[in-house]
């Protein structure tokens, strides 16, 4: 049940809804102690009795608390009241990258700036041993202070671990607004790496594939992988390459196309191996200008 304006969760007074997905409802609220605006995320009532959902909600809190970085949404507090579990995060002024992309592709300068900021936040996560697993435009907020990563509800430790007994989320997407909901796949399938779709263990390189899909969409204004059905979209991710950026946006630098193509390699071993490498490539393009041609990508480090 949605929280109404004026509802109190501890010292936080709910003001208005901000959004909802399969794993949480987010509200604008006021911290009555500090008189500041915050975002409060609650576990939906239909999942409050699900131990796996509660575990995932708690894991998001622990994950965000370990990622203090300008390009990651900050966590302020956690709490529980009358069976309602909630997280209190910084309130971000701006719009999601998904909302921005509905207006069309981004200018090259903004693609590079935003891409580097996403890399910075993702690099912090990876260095902290966290894989996001659901990187997508809807989980990236564009603010005056830069891009910020949100929603670490599907994040997991980067070190190998035993697979979960069951998946809680699968993406059932509408053409305009892919959402994460209950089911088998963990993540948003339009941005999932082939190894995730095949049920293999995800690692940092899986986030790099999703990053490549996000960069492609920012440059071209269209998704890297799209089909008329879920099955055809998944088939494209597994076996097809997206149209070359140069055919969609001929004025884009070839260096950027090379970088994005490397991120989207089907085989994880053939991708750029760290998000740090991706960041360095984007910075090189940014500093060299739009006519730059990228040298050979760094050799993939075999596991």
């Amino acid at each position: 049940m949605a929280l109404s304006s004026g509802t109190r969760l501890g010292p936080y007074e709910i003001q208005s809804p901000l959004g909802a997905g399969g794993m949480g409802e987010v509200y604008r609220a006021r911290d009555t102690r500090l008189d500041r605006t915050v975002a409060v995320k609650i576990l939906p009532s239909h999942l409050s009795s699900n131990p796996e959902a509660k575990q995932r909600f708690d894991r998001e809190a622990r994950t965000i608390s370990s990622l203090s970085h300008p390009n990651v949404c900050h966590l302020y507090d956690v709490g529980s009241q009358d069976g309602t579990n909630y997280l209190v995060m910084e309130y971000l002024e701006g719009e999601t990258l998904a909302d921005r992309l509905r207006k069309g592709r981004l200018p090259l300068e903004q693609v590079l700036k935003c891409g580097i900021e996403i890399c910075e936040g993702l690099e912090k996560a990876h260095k902290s041993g966290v894989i996001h697993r659901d990187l997508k435009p809807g989980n990236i907020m564009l603010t005056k202070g830069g891009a910020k990563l949100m929603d670490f509800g599907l994040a997991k430790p980067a070190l190998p671990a035993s697979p979960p007994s069951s998946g809680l989320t699968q993406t059932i997407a509408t053409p305009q607004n892919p959402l994460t909901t209950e089911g088998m796949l963990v993540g948003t399938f339009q941005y999932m790496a082939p190894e995730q779709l095949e049920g293999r263990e995800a690692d940092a390189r899986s986030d790099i594939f999703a990053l490549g899909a996000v960069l492609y969409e920012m440059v071209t204004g269209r998704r890297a992988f799209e089909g008329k059905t879920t099955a055809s979209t998944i088939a494209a991710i597994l076996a097809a390459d997206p149209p070359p950026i140069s055919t969609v946006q001929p004025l884009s630098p070839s260096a950027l196309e090379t970088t994005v193509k490397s991120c989207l390699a089907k085989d994880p071993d053939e991708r750029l191996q760290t998000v740090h490498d991706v960041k360095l490539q984007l910075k090189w393009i940014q500093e060299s200008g739009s006519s730059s041609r990228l040298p050979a990508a760094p050799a993939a480090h075999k596991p």
Side-chain angles (χ1 to χ4, degrees), residues 108-128:
L108 177 61
E109 180 181 353
Q110 191 176 358
V111 170
L112 296 172
K113 178 180 181 295
C114 182
I116 290 168
E117 291 166 350
I118 294 169
C119 286
E120 293 278 8
L122 201 56
E123 184 176 12
K124 172 63 177 180
H126 290 175
K127 284 184 175 180
S128 301

mmCIF file with all atom_site columns, all heavy atoms in Angstrom, residues 108-128:
data_model
loop_
_atom_site.group_PDB
_atom_site.id
_atom_site.type_symbol
_atom_site.label_atom_id
_atom_site.label_alt_id
_atom_site.label_comp_id
_atom_site.label_asym_id
_atom_site.label_entity_id
_atom_site.label_seq_id
_atom_site.pdbx_PDB_ins_code
_atom_site.Cartn_x
_atom_site.Cartn_y
_atom_site.Cartn_z
_atom_site.occupancy
_atom_site.B_iso_or_equiv
_atom_site.pdbx_formal_charge
_atom_site.auth_seq_id
_atom_site.auth_comp_id
_atom_site.auth_asym_id
_atom_site.auth_atom_id
_atom_site.pdbx_PDB_model_num
ATOM 1   N N   . LEU A 1 108 ? 27.819 14.688 -27.810 1.00 0.00 ? 108 LEU A N   1
ATOM 2   C CA  . LEU A 1 108 ? 29.040 13.933 -27.549 1.00 0.00 ? 108 LEU A CA  1
ATOM 3   C C   . LEU A 1 108 ? 29.729 14.381 -26.259 1.00 0.00 ? 108 LEU A C   1
ATOM 4   O O   . LEU A 1 108 ? 30.167 13.547 -25.452 1.00 0.00 ? 108 LEU A O   1
ATOM 5   C CB  . LEU A 1 108 ? 30.010 14.073 -28.728 1.00 0.00 ? 108 LEU A CB  1
ATOM 6   C CG  . LEU A 1 108 ? 31.369 13.387 -28.543 1.00 0.00 ? 108 LEU A CG  1
ATOM 7   C CD1 . LEU A 1 108 ? 31.208 11.893 -28.365 1.00 0.00 ? 108 LEU A CD1 1
ATOM 8   C CD2 . LEU A 1 108 ? 32.275 13.703 -29.731 1.00 0.00 ? 108 LEU A CD2 1
ATOM 9   N N   . GLU A 1 109 ? 29.823 15.678 -26.046 1.00 0.00 ? 109 GLU A N   1
ATOM 10  C CA  . GLU A 1 109 ? 30.491 16.186 -24.841 1.00 0.00 ? 109 GLU A CA  1
ATOM 11  C C   . GLU A 1 109 ? 29.830 15.647 -23.580 1.00 0.00 ? 109 GLU A C   1
ATOM 12  O O   . GLU A 1 109 ? 30.497 15.254 -22.614 1.00 0.00 ? 109 GLU A O   1
ATOM 13  C CB  . GLU A 1 109 ? 30.463 17.715 -24.846 1.00 0.00 ? 109 GLU A CB  1
ATOM 14  C CG  . GLU A 1 109 ? 31.136 18.352 -23.635 1.00 0.00 ? 109 GLU A CG  1
ATOM 15  C CD  . GLU A 1 109 ? 31.065 19.877 -23.670 1.00 0.00 ? 109 GLU A CD  1
ATOM 16  O OE1 . GLU A 1 109 ? 30.606 20.432 -24.688 1.00 0.00 ? 109 GLU A OE1 1
ATOM 17  O OE2 . GLU A 1 109 ? 31.465 20.492 -22.664 1.00 0.00 ? 109 GLU A OE2 1
ATOM 18  N N   . GLN A 1 110 ? 28.497 15.590 -23.594 1.00 0.00 ? 110 GLN A N   1
ATOM 19  C CA  . GLN A 1 110 ? 27.763 15.093 -22.434 1.00 0.00 ? 110 GLN A CA  1
ATOM 20  C C   . GLN A 1 110 ? 27.902 13.579 -22.307 1.00 0.00 ? 110 GLN A C   1
ATOM 21  O O   . GLN A 1 110 ? 27.971 13.045 -21.193 1.00 0.00 ? 110 GLN A O   1
ATOM 22  C CB  . GLN A 1 110 ? 26.285 15.483 -22.527 1.00 0.00 ? 110 GLN A CB  1
ATOM 23  C CG  . GLN A 1 110 ? 25.516 15.224 -21.226 1.00 0.00 ? 110 GLN A CG  1
ATOM 24  C CD  . GLN A 1 110 ? 24.079 15.702 -21.299 1.00 0.00 ? 110 GLN A CD  1
ATOM 25  O OE1 . GLN A 1 110 ? 23.643 16.261 -22.306 1.00 0.00 ? 110 GLN A OE1 1
ATOM 26  N NE2 . GLN A 1 110 ? 23.329 15.487 -20.239 1.00 0.00 ? 110 GLN A NE2 1
ATOM 27  N N   . VAL A 1 111 ? 27.939 12.871 -23.427 1.00 0.00 ? 111 VAL A N   1
ATOM 28  C CA  . VAL A 1 111 ? 28.144 11.419 -23.401 1.00 0.00 ? 111 VAL A CA  1
ATOM 29  C C   . VAL A 1 111 ? 29.453 11.103 -22.676 1.00 0.00 ? 111 VAL A C   1
ATOM 30  O O   . VAL A 1 111 ? 29.509 10.231 -21.794 1.00 0.00 ? 111 VAL A O   1
ATOM 31  C CB  . VAL A 1 111 ? 28.187 10.830 -24.824 1.00 0.00 ? 111 VAL A CB  1
ATOM 32  C CG1 . VAL A 1 111 ? 28.648 9.366  -24.788 1.00 0.00 ? 111 VAL A CG1 1
ATOM 33  C CG2 . VAL A 1 111 ? 26.813 10.921 -25.483 1.00 0.00 ? 111 VAL A CG2 1
ATOM 34  N N   . LEU A 1 112 ? 30.515 11.795 -23.047 1.00 0.00 ? 112 LEU A N   1
ATOM 35  C CA  . LEU A 1 112 ? 31.826 11.526 -22.462 1.00 0.00 ? 112 LEU A CA  1
ATOM 36  C C   . LEU A 1 112 ? 31.872 11.916 -20.991 1.00 0.00 ? 112 LEU A C   1
ATOM 37  O O   . LEU A 1 112 ? 32.381 11.161 -20.154 1.00 0.00 ? 112 LEU A O   1
ATOM 38  C CB  . LEU A 1 112 ? 32.906 12.256 -23.254 1.00 0.00 ? 112 LEU A CB  1
ATOM 39  C CG  . LEU A 1 112 ? 33.074 11.795 -24.708 1.00 0.00 ? 112 LEU A CG  1
ATOM 40  C CD1 . LEU A 1 112 ? 34.031 12.714 -25.452 1.00 0.00 ? 112 LEU A CD1 1
ATOM 41  C CD2 . LEU A 1 112 ? 33.556 10.348 -24.771 1.00 0.00 ? 112 LEU A CD2 1
ATOM 42  N N   . LYS A 1 113 ? 31.341 13.086 -20.673 1.00 0.00 ? 113 LYS A N   1
ATOM 43  C CA  . LYS A 1 113 ? 31.329 13.532 -19.270 1.00 0.00 ? 113 LYS A CA  1
ATOM 44  C C   . LYS A 1 113 ? 30.532 12.577 -18.401 1.00 0.00 ? 113 LYS A C   1
ATOM 45  O O   . LYS A 1 113 ? 31.007 12.112 -17.348 1.00 0.00 ? 113 LYS A O   1
ATOM 46  C CB  . LYS A 1 113 ? 30.743 14.936 -19.179 1.00 0.00 ? 113 LYS A CB  1
ATOM 47  C CG  . LYS A 1 113 ? 30.650 15.484 -17.748 1.00 0.00 ? 113 LYS A CG  1
ATOM 48  C CD  . LYS A 1 113 ? 30.056 16.887 -17.747 1.00 0.00 ? 113 LYS A CD  1
ATOM 49  C CE  . LYS A 1 113 ? 29.969 17.455 -16.323 1.00 0.00 ? 113 LYS A CE  1
ATOM 50  N NZ  . LYS A 1 113 ? 29.047 16.702 -15.460 1.00 0.00 ? 113 LYS A NZ  1
ATOM 51  N N   . CYS A 1 114 ? 29.323 12.255 -18.840 1.00 0.00 ? 114 CYS A N   1
ATOM 52  C CA  . CYS A 1 114 ? 28.457 11.361 -18.080 1.00 0.00 ? 114 CYS A CA  1
ATOM 53  C C   . CYS A 1 114 ? 29.062 9.956  -18.023 1.00 0.00 ? 114 CYS A C   1
ATOM 54  O O   . CYS A 1 114 ? 29.047 9.303  -16.981 1.00 0.00 ? 114 CYS A O   1
ATOM 55  C CB  . CYS A 1 114 ? 27.071 11.329 -18.710 1.00 0.00 ? 114 CYS A CB  1
ATOM 56  S SG  . CYS A 1 114 ? 25.875 10.296 -17.845 1.00 0.00 ? 114 CYS A SG  1
ATOM 57  N N   . GLY A 1 115 ? 29.610 9.493  -19.138 1.00 0.00 ? 115 GLY A N   1
ATOM 58  C CA  . GLY A 1 115 ? 30.213 8.168  -19.180 1.00 0.00 ? 115 GLY A CA  1
ATOM 59  C C   . GLY A 1 115 ? 31.364 8.036  -18.203 1.00 0.00 ? 115 GLY A C   1
ATOM 60  O O   . GLY A 1 115 ? 31.498 7.017  -17.502 1.00 0.00 ? 115 GLY A O   1
ATOM 61  N N   . ILE A 1 116 ? 32.204 9.058  -18.128 1.00 0.00 ? 116 ILE A N   1
ATOM 62  C CA  . ILE A 1 116 ? 33.337 9.037  -17.195 1.00 0.00 ? 116 ILE A CA  1
ATOM 63  C C   . ILE A 1 116 ? 32.832 9.024  -15.751 1.00 0.00 ? 116 ILE A C   1
ATOM 64  O O   . ILE A 1 116 ? 33.366 8.292  -14.898 1.00 0.00 ? 116 ILE A O   1
ATOM 65  C CB  . ILE A 1 116 ? 34.252 10.254 -17.444 1.00 0.00 ? 116 ILE A CB  1
ATOM 66  C CG1 . ILE A 1 116 ? 34.980 10.101 -18.787 1.00 0.00 ? 116 ILE A CG1 1
ATOM 67  C CG2 . ILE A 1 116 ? 35.271 10.422 -16.312 1.00 0.00 ? 116 ILE A CG2 1
ATOM 68  C CD1 . ILE A 1 116 ? 35.679 11.357 -19.273 1.00 0.00 ? 116 ILE A CD1 1
ATOM 69  N N   . GLU A 1 117 ? 31.788 9.787  -15.467 1.00 0.00 ? 117 GLU A N   1
ATOM 70  C CA  . GLU A 1 117 ? 31.235 9.819  -14.105 1.00 0.00 ? 117 GLU A CA  1
ATOM 71  C C   . GLU A 1 117 ? 30.620 8.478  -13.728 1.00 0.00 ? 117 GLU A C   1
ATOM 72  O O   . GLU A 1 117 ? 30.775 8.010  -12.585 1.00 0.00 ? 117 GLU A O   1
ATOM 73  C CB  . GLU A 1 117 ? 30.206 10.937 -13.998 1.00 0.00 ? 117 GLU A CB  1
ATOM 74  C CG  . GLU A 1 117 ? 30.822 12.331 -14.070 1.00 0.00 ? 117 GLU A CG  1
ATOM 75  C CD  . GLU A 1 117 ? 29.816 13.436 -14.294 1.00 0.00 ? 117 GLU A CD  1
ATOM 76  O OE1 . GLU A 1 117 ? 28.636 13.137 -14.594 1.00 0.00 ? 117 GLU A OE1 1
ATOM 77  O OE2 . GLU A 1 117 ? 30.200 14.614 -14.174 1.00 0.00 ? 117 GLU A OE2 1
ATOM 78  N N   . ILE A 1 118 ? 29.939 7.836  -14.662 1.00 0.00 ? 118 ILE A N   1
ATOM 79  C CA  . ILE A 1 118 ? 29.393 6.507  -14.399 1.00 0.00 ? 118 ILE A CA  1
ATOM 80  C C   . ILE A 1 118 ? 30.536 5.537  -14.096 1.00 0.00 ? 118 ILE A C   1
ATOM 81  O O   . ILE A 1 118 ? 30.463 4.722  -13.175 1.00 0.00 ? 118 ILE A O   1
ATOM 82  C CB  . ILE A 1 118 ? 28.560 6.006  -15.595 1.00 0.00 ? 118 ILE A CB  1
ATOM 83  C CG1 . ILE A 1 118 ? 27.311 6.875  -15.779 1.00 0.00 ? 118 ILE A CG1 1
ATOM 84  C CG2 . ILE A 1 118 ? 28.146 4.546  -15.396 1.00 0.00 ? 118 ILE A CG2 1
ATOM 85  C CD1 . ILE A 1 118 ? 26.584 6.628  -17.086 1.00 0.00 ? 118 ILE A CD1 1
ATOM 86  N N   . CYS A 1 119 ? 31.596 5.633  -14.885 1.00 0.00 ? 119 CYS A N   1
ATOM 87  C CA  . CYS A 1 119 ? 32.767 4.777  -14.665 1.00 0.00 ? 119 CYS A CA  1
ATOM 88  C C   . CYS A 1 119 ? 33.355 5.005  -13.276 1.00 0.00 ? 119 CYS A C   1
ATOM 89  O O   . CYS A 1 119 ? 33.762 4.048  -12.596 1.00 0.00 ? 119 CYS A O   1
ATOM 90  C CB  . CYS A 1 119 ? 33.835 5.038  -15.718 1.00 0.00 ? 119 CYS A CB  1
ATOM 91  S SG  . CYS A 1 119 ? 33.473 4.365  -17.355 1.00 0.00 ? 119 CYS A SG  1
ATOM 92  N N   . GLU A 1 120 ? 33.413 6.264  -12.857 1.00 0.00 ? 120 GLU A N   1
ATOM 93  C CA  . GLU A 1 120 ? 33.982 6.581  -11.545 1.00 0.00 ? 120 GLU A CA  1
ATOM 94  C C   . GLU A 1 120 ? 33.184 5.878  -10.438 1.00 0.00 ? 120 GLU A C   1
ATOM 95  O O   . GLU A 1 120 ? 33.760 5.275  -9.528  1.00 0.00 ? 120 GLU A O   1
ATOM 96  C CB  . GLU A 1 120 ? 33.965 8.096  -11.314 1.00 0.00 ? 120 GLU A CB  1
ATOM 97  C CG  . GLU A 1 120 ? 34.889 8.890  -12.218 1.00 0.00 ? 120 GLU A CG  1
ATOM 98  C CD  . GLU A 1 120 ? 36.330 8.917  -11.735 1.00 0.00 ? 120 GLU A CD  1
ATOM 99  O OE1 . GLU A 1 120 ? 36.659 8.192  -10.777 1.00 0.00 ? 120 GLU A OE1 1
ATOM 100 O OE2 . GLU A 1 120 ? 37.126 9.668  -12.325 1.00 0.00 ? 120 GLU A OE2 1
ATOM 101 N N   . GLY A 1 121 ? 31.853 5.978  -10.497 1.00 0.00 ? 121 GLY A N   1
ATOM 102 C CA  . GLY A 1 121 ? 31.025 5.337  -9.485  1.00 0.00 ? 121 GLY A CA  1
ATOM 103 C C   . GLY A 1 121 ? 31.127 3.828  -9.539  1.00 0.00 ? 121 GLY A C   1
ATOM 104 O O   . GLY A 1 121 ? 31.220 3.149  -8.510  1.00 0.00 ? 121 GLY A O   1
ATOM 105 N N   . LEU A 1 122 ? 31.123 3.286  -10.752 1.00 0.00 ? 122 LEU A N   1
ATOM 106 C CA  . LEU A 1 122 ? 31.198 1.832  -10.922 1.00 0.00 ? 122 LEU A CA  1
ATOM 107 C C   . LEU A 1 122 ? 32.563 1.311  -10.491 1.00 0.00 ? 122 LEU A C   1
ATOM 108 O O   . LEU A 1 122 ? 32.668 0.222  -9.902  1.00 0.00 ? 122 LEU A O   1
ATOM 109 C CB  . LEU A 1 122 ? 30.913 1.479  -12.384 1.00 0.00 ? 122 LEU A CB  1
ATOM 110 C CG  . LEU A 1 122 ? 30.469 0.054  -12.704 1.00 0.00 ? 122 LEU A CG  1
ATOM 111 C CD1 . LEU A 1 122 ? 29.224 -0.309 -11.911 1.00 0.00 ? 122 LEU A CD1 1
ATOM 112 C CD2 . LEU A 1 122 ? 30.195 -0.086 -14.202 1.00 0.00 ? 122 LEU A CD2 1
ATOM 113 N N   . GLU A 1 123 ? 33.612 2.084  -10.764 1.00 0.00 ? 123 GLU A N   1
ATOM 114 C CA  . GLU A 1 123 ? 34.953 1.674  -10.359 1.00 0.00 ? 123 GLU A CA  1
ATOM 115 C C   . GLU A 1 123 ? 35.050 1.599  -8.835  1.00 0.00 ? 123 GLU A C   1
ATOM 116 O O   . GLU A 1 123 ? 35.667 0.675  -8.288  1.00 0.00 ? 123 GLU A O   1
ATOM 117 C CB  . GLU A 1 123 ? 35.990 2.654  -10.909 1.00 0.00 ? 123 GLU A CB  1
ATOM 118 C CG  . GLU A 1 123 ? 37.429 2.252  -10.618 1.00 0.00 ? 123 GLU A CG  1
ATOM 119 C CD  . GLU A 1 123 ? 38.438 3.187  -11.243 1.00 0.00 ? 123 GLU A CD  1
ATOM 120 O OE1 . GLU A 1 123 ? 38.061 4.276  -11.716 1.00 0.00 ? 123 GLU A OE1 1
ATOM 121 O OE2 . GLU A 1 123 ? 39.633 2.815  -11.256 1.00 0.00 ? 123 GLU A OE2 1
ATOM 122 N N   . LYS A 1 124 ? 34.434 2.559  -8.141  1.00 0.00 ? 124 LYS A N   1
ATOM 123 C CA  . LYS A 1 124 ? 34.413 2.520  -6.683  1.00 0.00 ? 124 LYS A CA  1
ATOM 124 C C   . LYS A 1 124 ? 33.725 1.242  -6.200  1.00 0.00 ? 124 LYS A C   1
ATOM 125 O O   . LYS A 1 124 ? 34.206 0.574  -5.264  1.00 0.00 ? 124 LYS A O   1
ATOM 126 C CB  . LYS A 1 124 ? 33.686 3.749  -6.143  1.00 0.00 ? 124 LYS A CB  1
ATOM 127 C CG  . LYS A 1 124 ? 33.438 3.730  -4.634  1.00 0.00 ? 124 LYS A CG  1
ATOM 128 C CD  . LYS A 1 124 ? 34.722 3.712  -3.843  1.00 0.00 ? 124 LYS A CD  1
ATOM 129 C CE  . LYS A 1 124 ? 34.441 3.772  -2.350  1.00 0.00 ? 124 LYS A CE  1
ATOM 130 N NZ  . LYS A 1 124 ? 35.680 3.754  -1.532  1.00 0.00 ? 124 LYS A NZ  1
ATOM 131 N N   . ALA A 1 125 ? 32.602 0.897  -6.831  1.00 0.00 ? 125 ALA A N   1
ATOM 132 C CA  . ALA A 1 125 ? 31.888 -0.321 -6.444  1.00 0.00 ? 125 ALA A CA  1
ATOM 133 C C   . ALA A 1 125 ? 32.760 -1.550 -6.658  1.00 0.00 ? 125 ALA A C   1
ATOM 134 O O   . ALA A 1 125 ? 32.898 -2.398 -5.765  1.00 0.00 ? 125 ALA A O   1
ATOM 135 C CB  . ALA A 1 125 ? 30.587 -0.438 -7.232  1.00 0.00 ? 125 ALA A CB  1
ATOM 136 N N   . HIS A 1 126 ? 33.361 -1.659 -7.828  1.00 0.00 ? 126 HIS A N   1
ATOM 137 C CA  . HIS A 1 126 ? 34.178 -2.832 -8.134  1.00 0.00 ? 126 HIS A CA  1
ATOM 138 C C   . HIS A 1 126 ? 35.381 -2.935 -7.202  1.00 0.00 ? 126 HIS A C   1
ATOM 139 O O   . HIS A 1 126 ? 35.744 -4.023 -6.752  1.00 0.00 ? 126 HIS A O   1
ATOM 140 C CB  . HIS A 1 126 ? 34.632 -2.792 -9.591  1.00 0.00 ? 126 HIS A CB  1
ATOM 141 C CG  . HIS A 1 126 ? 33.514 -3.029 -10.560 1.00 0.00 ? 126 HIS A CG  1
ATOM 142 N ND1 . HIS A 1 126 ? 33.680 -2.944 -11.924 1.00 0.00 ? 126 HIS A ND1 1
ATOM 143 C CD2 . HIS A 1 126 ? 32.206 -3.356 -10.377 1.00 0.00 ? 126 HIS A CD2 1
ATOM 144 C CE1 . HIS A 1 126 ? 32.534 -3.207 -12.524 1.00 0.00 ? 126 HIS A CE1 1
ATOM 145 N NE2 . HIS A 1 126 ? 31.618 -3.443 -11.604 1.00 0.00 ? 126 HIS A NE2 1
ATOM 146 N N   . LYS A 1 127 ? 36.006 -1.809 -6.899  1.00 0.00 ? 127 LYS A N   1
ATOM 147 C CA  . LYS A 1 127 ? 37.152 -1.823 -5.982  1.00 0.00 ? 127 LYS A CA  1
ATOM 148 C C   . LYS A 1 127 ? 36.725 -2.205 -4.569  1.00 0.00 ? 127 LYS A C   1
ATOM 149 O O   . LYS A 1 127 ? 37.535 -2.696 -3.780  1.00 0.00 ? 127 LYS A O   1
ATOM 150 C CB  . LYS A 1 127 ? 37.844 -0.458 -5.968  1.00 0.00 ? 127 LYS A CB  1
ATOM 151 C CG  . LYS A 1 127 ? 38.696 -0.183 -7.201  1.00 0.00 ? 127 LYS A CG  1
ATOM 152 C CD  . LYS A 1 127 ? 39.429 1.134  -7.092  1.00 0.00 ? 127 LYS A CD  1
ATOM 153 C CE  . LYS A 1 127 ? 40.373 1.344  -8.272  1.00 0.00 ? 127 LYS A CE  1
ATOM 154 N NZ  . LYS A 1 127 ? 41.100 2.638  -8.194  1.00 0.00 ? 127 LYS A NZ  1
ATOM 155 N N   . SER A 1 128 ? 35.456 -1.983 -4.266  1.00 0.00 ? 128 SER A N   1
ATOM 156 C CA  . SER A 1 128 ? 34.919 -2.356 -2.953  1.00 0.00 ? 128 SER A CA  1
ATOM 157 C C   . SER A 1 128 ? 34.379 -3.784 -2.959  1.00 0.00 ? 128 SER A C   1
ATOM 158 O O   . SER A 1 128 ? 33.786 -4.228 -1.971  1.00 0.00 ? 128 SER A O   1
ATOM 159 C CB  . SER A 1 128 ? 33.812 -1.380 -2.542  1.00 0.00 ? 128 SER A CB  1
ATOM 160 O OG  . SER A 1 128 ? 34.300 -0.052 -2.484  1.00 0.00 ? 128 SER A OG  1
#
